[in-house]
Each structure stands twice: as C-alpha cells, then as structure tokens.
Amino acid sequence: MIAPETDRVLITGAAGAVGTALRLGLRDRWRHLRLTDVRPVSDLAANEEQVVADIADRPALESMMRGVKAVVHLAGVVGTYTLEDLFRVNARGLFDVFEAARIAGVERIVFASSNHAFGCYPITEKVSPALPPRPDSLYGVFKVLGETMLQQYFDRYRMRSVSLRIGTFRAQPVDQRSLATWLSPADAAHLVDVSLSHPDPGCMVVNGYSNNSRLKTFDPNWATLGYRPKDNAEDHRERLRAEGIDVDAPDRGEWEWPEHGGSFVRLPERPVR
Ligand SMILES: NC(=O)c1ccc[n+]([C@@H]2O[C@H](COP(=O)([O-])OP(=O)(O)OC[C@H]3O[C@@H](n4cnc5c(N)ncnc54)[C@H](O)[C@@H]3O)[C@@H](O)[C@H]2O)c1
C-alpha cells in the first residue's frame, strides 16, 4: 500500500509531456514527489524535489531511490531518436531504473508502456491486455521488455507494478486516429493515481486511454484498478472537423489504420548501422 500523505514517489522523465501533466495532477494529493530528468524542471512546487541526471548514471539512480516507496518510470526516447539512444535509454536505462528500484526495496513501479506493445493486432480485434503482446516496432519491443521484467519482479520478488499501455497522450486529440486512442492529461494523472494507491495490483498491464466513444480496445482491468476516465475525444470532433480533418465517416479505421499501432506498423525501422 502506497500512502499519498507519507510515502515518497520518484517520477523519471518528469520534465516531459506526461511528467508535467502528472506533476500538476498528483501534487495536491501526493505530498512527497521526487522528480528526475536529464533536463531540469524549472517550476518546482513546495512538495517537489528534483535530481537532474542522465538515466545512464547508475550511481545517481541508486542514490535517488533512497527513501522512495514507488517509482513512476516515464523517461524514454519518443518520436525522433537514433537506434543507439533507443537502446541506451529505453532498454539499458529501463533495466537500470528497475534494478536500482528493486535493490533499494521500492515496493511499486508504474511504467509508461505503450499501445505499440500490441500495435500489430488488426484494428478489427478488440484487444485486451490479457492477449500476448504483438509489438509493432523496436520501440514497442522495449516496452514489452519492461512489462516482462516487471512480471519477473513480481514472480521472484513480489514487487507490485502497473504497466500503462498509453495511447495518444496530448492536451487534445489531433487526428482521426486519436479520437480512438487519446489519453487526456487529467485521465493520465487519475490512472497513475489509482495505479499507485491500489492496495494490491499484483503485476498488472492496463490500457491508457480516455473514455473515448471510438475505443478499439476493452479492458477489464479498468474496473479492477478503479480507473474511471472522464474525458471523451469525441467532444473534440467538431474542432477537428473545423480544422479540415475528416472525422465524419463512422469508422474509416480498417483502411486508414488497419492495425492498432497506426503508422508505426508501416514506418521503416531506424537503420541498424
Ligand atoms: N506521449 C505519448 O503519446 C505516449 C504514448 C505511449 C507511451 N508514452 C511513453 O510515456 C513516456 C513519457 O512520454 P512523453 O510523451 O512525456 O515524452 P517526452 O519526450 O515529453 O518525455 C520524456 C522525458 O524523458 C527524458 N529523458 C530522455 N532521455 C533521458 C535520459 N537519457 N536520461 C534522463 N531522462 C531522459 C526527456 O528529457 C523527457 O523529459 C515515455 O516513456 C513514452 O514512451 C508516451
């Protein structure tokens, strides 16, 4: 059990988009937030402390785990990255964060996984986290690596975790696909809040979406966790339409994005050398 009033939570990647939303959404209830990122956070609140460090700095990781009860692991490369950075941050860095946490006796990890962990499923299949992963990219493969490590930590060490398969995290939905895959900032904070405070999530994998009318997934773990998203991407349909984005067809999914991973499934992988 992680207690918001007394227990310290470490957030990695805290200077990023999701991290910033979490700080705003969690800081009233979670009284002891330790933030880390390779970039500094400039607007620290009274109940926040920060450690500026690269994820590759294992001694720094070990030292920042002291007195920490739970870790929210967000740090990672996203979008444009080199293959070397992907390995260094999303594979080796992930390993070092999880290992430093385990050795320090951290009781819970909330991990930013991704919908790209199951992106190769056809969009016609209503995927739940109970199905085997089908990553659509090396980025997705390393998210599955994280989920798999956490399964091993649960089985061997009884460390509890929740892996969040985040869809499209944005302030607002941006295109037709994100009308199905959007995760709003408020719902993201709520999802992390319940993942931290649930008495015993075991080793759970959960979809990170808002309450979108066009959801192409289903997830019994939402009820188990007590996740009740409030935002619905459909409320942004008229704005998108006014911006010239065709959102009128009831379901263009099968030809526009035949798999859950959208464009990731079709993108060439980063060159290996
Ligand atoms: N944004 C989305 O739609 C989305 C969807 C699925 C999953 N996710 C995952 O959520 C997490 C956060 O995503 P985001 O959108 O906030 O990305 P972001 O790029 O805004 O934030 C990532 C943060 O990680 C930090 N970081 C990168 N390399 C680092 C290093 N070597 N050492 C320390 N810190 C480092 C960056 O400085 C950045 O602040 C990522 O793991 C991402 O894969 C995001």
Side-chain angles (χ1 to χ4, degrees), residues 201-261:
C203 173
M204 188 183 284
V205 177
V206 66
N207 291 334
Y209 296 112
S210 282
N211 187 31
N212 306 323
S213 303
R214 301 191 194 195
L215 278 182
K216 310 272 185 209
T217 52
F218 79 101
D219 194 343
N221 288 339
W222 283 16
T224 312
L225 205 53
Y227 175 57
R228 286 180 285 275
K230 293 196 173 55
D231 292 317
N232 185 340
E234 213 58 30
D235 296 339
H236 298 262
R237 185 188 51 215
E238 294 312 319
R239 175 186 55 81
L240 288 174
R241 191 179 284 151
E243 290 169 8
I245 296 167
D246 180 7
V247 294
D248 294 331
D251 189 351
R252 309 189 331 173
E254 281 188 54
W255 60 267
E256 187 172 297
W257 35 294
E259 294 93 6
H260 280 270

Side-chain angles (χ1 to χ4, degrees), residues 12-20 36-39 53-56 73-78 88-90 111-116 139 143 164-170:
T12 75
V18 176
T20 302
T36 187
D37 202 293
V38 72
R39 301 184 287 156
D54 195 293
I55 206 109
H73 180 47
L74 308 174
V77 293
V78 186
R88 189 175 69 84
V89 181
N90 292 25
F111 166 51
S113 183
S114 167
N115 65 113
H116 298 294
Y139 169 86
K143 294 300 188 188
L164 316 175
R165 289 182 171 174
I166 298 171
T168 306
F169 174 87
R170 296 282 187 286

Side-chain angles (χ1 to χ4, degrees), residues 25-54:
L26 297 181
R27 69 163 63 127
D28 286 347
R29 206 164 99 78
W30 293 85
R31 299 310 304 154
H32 304 278
L33 296 179
R34 182 173 292 164
L35 314 174
T36 187
D37 202 293
V38 72
R39 301 184 287 156
V41 170
S42 55
D43 56 339
L44 283 183
N47 62 334
E48 294 176 324
E49 48 175 321
Q50 77 167 322
V51 183
V52 178
D54 195 293

